[in-house]
Amino acid sequence: MQFTPDNLPAVPDGFPTLYPSHLLNPNKKDKNWHLNYCKTMYYMCKNNLGYFSNDRKVDWVDARLYADGNQSVQKYYDWCSSLKDKGGATVSYMNLNWKIVSPIPKFYAVLKGYFSKLNYKIQATSINPEAALAKERMKASIYASQKLKPFFSQLEQKAGQKFGENPVNKEMPDDVETKEEIEMWFSRSFRDQSEQAMEKLQRMVLYENDWKTMSGELWDDVMKCGCIGSCVKIDRIGKKVKVRYCDPVNMVLDNFRGHDGNEMERIGEFMLMTIAQLKLAAGDQFTEEEYYDIAYRHRGQYGNESNLVPYADYVNSDSTYTYNQWDNYQVLVMEWYTDSSDRIKHERKMVKGVSMLFKKPFDTPIGKKPVNDADGKFMYEKEVFATDTKTVYGGCWIVGSDYIFDWGKVSDISRPKENKRECMKPMKFYRITNQSVIELAIPFADSYMLSWLKIQNLKAKAIPKGLIIEVGALENVMLDGKVKSAQELIELAVQTGIVVYRKHSTLDDGNIDTSIPITESQGGMGAEFKELLESMASDLMSIREVMGISQMFDASQQNPRQPVANAELAVKGTENALTPMVEGFE
């Protein structure tokens, strides 16, 4: 299910509207602090205060429908007719097949097929000083052995035996000789034991989290929404790395500039969970009666039954059929994380001539203070100062209630190697472009559909090829002394091609009819049909332009006389246009 501020539950009375302070004593960031924080997040998100616009998320939902060719036909009703009935519904007298005809699914399938063939391999590189130094020594040893190879060869001939060879030398190709070639081989092919272990661990994590399926979902969002989201954290039960796909439509996102969502102070996601799934996630953080209360709050919502037997009746019942009936109820959960700061105070003072630090209580005043001996003589100066350490707090909240679980400081916080003071939240978001390739193609897909409807209307109204007959010229025509009826003369003309008609008037008034009694009507849809076909062809080209797909890339036009170099340039141009999406996925 997709959640936008429009279909989220209303904000109950008494919800906090201001975020609690991050500069509190870390010990005071208790359950109430976390509850107030996530409630304020919900209030801000529901009212579009500082968060991604509701309209933007609706655009993503529409783009997904267009990518599948399942967009609403209501706009086409409105464009084709301005008539409304008393209820405000559009009235159309056109007898058309309103089924969607769109070129977008084809181009979407072409891109999906291209992206699915991109294989990525995570390569680990040791950055600790010991491993880096060992690798540099190995490079120097190999380079030296390569340079001294002729000398060792002569020495082995004189000694009459083979010397032991470095195992790394056996793996290295014979044509690797220069220092630059050795550096390249080490960076691409050589892996020490710690790097191999890390790469195997990464492959295991991706395998256990069904990365193939998840990557497909991420590529879908790259093309449809122009952004992607995921969550990486340690599973509470298995204590393993859990990688989970996050739907951008359901995410709680701060407004921010740039691409990397880690710049946002806070982030979250709405998700539906059954009570059974909630029990696996929260465990004994809630009692059985509290699980019942959570289900009771969600009765009649998200497909849940409206009637729920009181908890006491379940507990006192001997029936196993009705017991824990609420385990299948679905509840709305918001998982959220925020950047925060832990302020720690230390005192710096001299101990036997050595400056030392001692941790002090949070309420200790900050500042410098001289320390004197018993005689009042100055000995040294002590200083109390505060250090703010950036960290991450978060949890999971049952929306609209006071139930929260897995709250507190996040464990195993990721920190970039470039800046250890910075930290990254478990939930990730990356914005590739402000408008996805599907969104860019939507106006032209609408134009294409409108042209198709008009072509149908032309076909329905088109007059077939036929005859135009001036009946007066076929009246009172006499052949062989007999008057022929108009129907007989028409049949004679159709069957034999001989047209018999009266040129002179029967009133002997001298009038002569100079008109041709039977002429051919061409019928058909006329020039408008050709114009509409040209419009549809133009829309197709426009979609290719905005999506960056050449005709060579989607194999829609193959000219056998096309030079290979031109075809390669066309495909390369498409790959260049898709580069931002590929980089965003990486």
Side-chain angles (χ1 to χ4, degrees):
M1 186 173 181
Q2 296 175 326
F3 294 98
T4 60
D6 284 344
N7 62 9
L8 288 172
V11 178
D13 295 333
F15 255 44
T17 58
L18 295 175
Y19 289 107
S21 173
H22 289 292
L23 300 180
L24 293 175
N25 184 340
N27 296 328
K28 296 293 181 67
K29 293 180 180 179
D30 53 10
K31 181 178 179 180
N32 288 331
W33 185 91
H34 287 79
L35 194 57
N36 288 334
Y37 200 98
C38 63
K39 284 184 175 182
T40 306
M41 277 184 69
Y42 186 81
Y43 170 82
M44 295 290 187
C45 176
K46 177 66 178 176
N47 292 283
N48 278 327
L49 301 176
Y51 284 86
F52 264 48
S53 168
N54 179 29
D55 294 337
R56 194 71 193 97
K57 292 190 174 183
V58 171
D59 290 341
W60 295 343
V61 175
D62 287 343
R64 289 175 173 176
L65 294 175
Y66 272 90
D68 298 330
N70 293 325
Q71 67 267 28
S72 172
V73 298
Q74 184 60 47
K75 64 166 63 176
Y76 309 123
Y77 286 143
D78 297 337
W79 288 348
C80 291
S81 176
S82 59
L83 297 176
K84 304 287 183 180
D85 61 14
K86 293 182 179 180
T90 303
V91 177
S92 175
Y93 294 102
M94 294 185 292
N95 187 14
L96 302 176
N97 180 0
W98 295 92
K99 186 175 178 61
I100 297 297
V101 175
S102 174
I104 288 185
K106 172 203 171 181
F107 294 112
Y108 166 72
V110 170
L111 292 180
K112 185 69 179 289
Y114 170 75
F115 290 138
S116 64
K117 294 177 183 177
L118 299 179
N119 295 319
Y120 294 93
K121 181 180 179 182
I122 299 177
Q123 182 171 303
T125 303
S126 302
I127 60 173
N128 59 302
E130 293 80 5
L133 181 60
K135 187 178 291 187
E136 290 300 320
R137 287 176 176 171
M138 193 177 299
K139 291 178 186 178
S141 174
I142 292 174
Y143 182 65
S145 63
Q146 291 289 84
K147 287 293 184 181
L148 296 174
K149 186 180 291 186
F151 170 74
F152 285 127
S153 178
Q154 294 177 5
L155 197 59
E156 287 175 348
Q157 290 178 357
K158 292 182 178 180
Q161 62 180 9
K162 285 278 187 181
F163 296 152
E165 189 174 4
N166 190 328
V168 178
N169 291 59
K170 296 181 180 179
E171 300 177 7
M172 186 180 297
D174 295 334
D175 57 350
V176 175
E177 297 178 353
T178 66
K179 193 171 184 179
E180 290 76 13
E181 291 172 343
I182 293 175
E183 287 284 350
M184 186 179 299
W185 183 81
F186 261 85
S187 62
R188 293 186 177 182
S189 302
F190 175 76
R191 327 296 308 143
D192 66 25
Q193 291 183 350
S194 61
E195 292 169 343
Q196 292 179 27
M198 183 61 70
E199 290 173 2
K200 288 180 180 179
L201 177 62
Q202 291 166 344
R203 288 195 294 270
M204 182 188 72
V205 168
L206 296 181
Y207 174 78
E208 290 179 343
N209 288 278
D210 193 10
W211 171 249
K212 185 176 182 179
T213 300
M214 180 178 169
S215 63
E217 295 175 322
L218 292 174
W219 277 123
D220 286 341
D221 288 342
V222 167
M223 292 178 283
K224 297 175 182 179
C225 306
C227 56
I228 47 179
S230 65
C231 186
V232 183
K233 63 179 184 179
I234 305 298
D235 179 51
R236 187 183 69 85
I237 299 176
K239 304 300 180 183
K240 293 185 176 182
V241 178
K242 182 70 176 177
V243 184
R244 179 173 61 81
Y245 163 79
C246 294
D247 188 343
V249 176
N250 294 342
M251 296 184 76
V252 184
L253 304 166
D254 273 338
N255 274 328
F256 73 99
R257 294 179 63 87
H259 299 281
D260 190 355
N262 201 56
E263 297 178 10
M264 295 183 287
E265 180 178 336
R266 58 194 71 87
I267 191 172
E269 184 193 14
F270 296 105
M271 65 188 84
L272 283 178
M273 301 175 66
T274 64
I275 296 294
Q277 292 172 328
L278 187 62
K279 288 180 178 179
L280 288 175
D284 57 2
Q285 296 179 61
F286 301 130
T287 64
E288 193 65 31
E289 188 170 0
E290 287 175 328
Y291 281 119
Y292 170 84
D293 185 53
I294 294 171
Y296 185 81
R297 292 171 179 269
H298 287 78
R299 68 192 189 283
Q301 305 177 49
Y302 313 117
N304 301 330
E305 295 180 6
S306 299
N307 298 321
L308 193 60
V309 179
Y311 177 73
D313 293 348
Y314 282 109
V315 175
N316 298 321
S317 172
D318 293 331
S319 172
T320 58
Y321 176 75
T322 59
Y323 191 73
N324 280 12
Q325 177 188 356
W326 63 83
D327 277 356
N328 294 323
Y329 273 46
Q330 293 196 102
V331 301
L332 184 59
V333 179
M334 184 180 83
E335 183 176 352
W336 62 277
Y337 299 96
T338 180
D339 291 333
S340 188
S341 178
D342 282 351
R343 174 163 287 187
I344 303 173
K345 293 185 178 180
H346 290 88
E347 180 184 75
R348 180 186 289 112
K349 62 182 180 179
M350 301 296 295
V351 177
K352 296 182 179 180
V354 179
S355 177
M356 301 187 69
L357 294 178
F358 298 90
K359 192 173 181 179
K360 303 296 290 184
F362 185 84
D363 56 356
T364 304
I366 298 175
K368 297 180 179 180
K369 183 178 180 181
V371 177
N372 301 326
D373 58 13
D375 299 331
K377 185 177 179 181
F378 174 80
M379 297 175 56
Y380 59 89
E381 183 180 62
K382 67 178 182 180
E383 176 186 8
V384 176
F385 61 94
T387 302
D388 292 323
T389 303
K390 189 174 181 180
T391 186
V392 178
Y393 283 81
C396 295
W397 173 55
I398 311 298
V399 175
S401 71
D402 288 337
Y403 293 112
I404 188 172
F405 63 96
D406 287 349
W407 57 272
K409 184 190 293 188
V410 175
S411 61
D412 303 289
I413 297 175
S414 301
R415 298 184 183 273
K417 64 179 182 180
E418 297 84 6
N419 183 8
K420 296 300 183 182
R421 294 181 178 271
E422 187 61 51
C423 57
M424 293 181 285
K425 295 176 281 294
M427 195 168 289
K428 321 288 182 183
F429 179 81
Y430 192 87
R431 177 167 53 196
I432 299 166
T433 56
N434 288 324
Q435 277 195 311
S436 67
V437 290
I438 300 296
E439 290 178 280
L440 292 173
I442 285 177
F444 305 105
D446 287 338
S447 175
Y448 188 94
M449 180 66 183
L450 190 59
S451 297
W452 169 246
L453 292 175
K454 289 189 175 183
I455 286 178
Q456 287 189 72
N457 195 37
L458 278 178
K459 287 182 177 181
K461 296 190 303 180
I463 299 175
K465 184 177 181 179
L467 301 176
I468 301 175
I469 301 173
E470 204 288 300
V471 180
L474 300 178
E475 292 178 344
N476 300 320
V477 176
M478 184 176 290
L479 287 176
D480 298 330
K482 295 181 180 180
V483 177
K484 298 293 183 180
S485 67
Q487 183 177 0
E488 289 178 310
L489 295 175
I490 292 172
E491 287 295 329
L492 176 65
V494 171
Q495 294 178 23
T496 66
I498 300 173
V499 180
V500 180
Y501 69 101
R502 177 175 291 280
K503 187 174 183 181
H504 295 277
S505 172
T506 58
L507 300 178
D508 295 329
D509 54 7
N511 291 333
I512 298 176
D513 187 359
T514 59
S515 63
I516 300 175
I518 300 177
T519 57
E520 188 178 20
S521 170
Q522 295 299 323
M525 292 180 285
E528 188 177 356
F529 177 66
K530 182 179 179 181
E531 293 175 356
L532 289 171
L533 288 179
E534 291 175 350
S535 175
M536 295 176 73
S538 175
D539 292 331
L540 282 174
M541 289 303 300
S542 298
I543 291 175
R544 285 194 180 93
E545 288 293 326
V546 298
M547 298 182 79
I549 300 177
S550 65
Q551 290 179 314
M552 290 293 175
F553 191 83
D554 66 3
S556 61
Q557 180 178 352
Q558 293 294 332
N559 185 353
R561 298 184 178 181
Q562 175 79 21
V564 175
N566 290 1
E568 291 178 348
L569 285 175
V571 173
K572 190 64 178 178
T574 298
E575 292 176 347
N576 291 338
L578 303 180
T579 296
M581 289 186 279
V582 175
E583 291 180 346
F585 179 85
E586 291 173 354

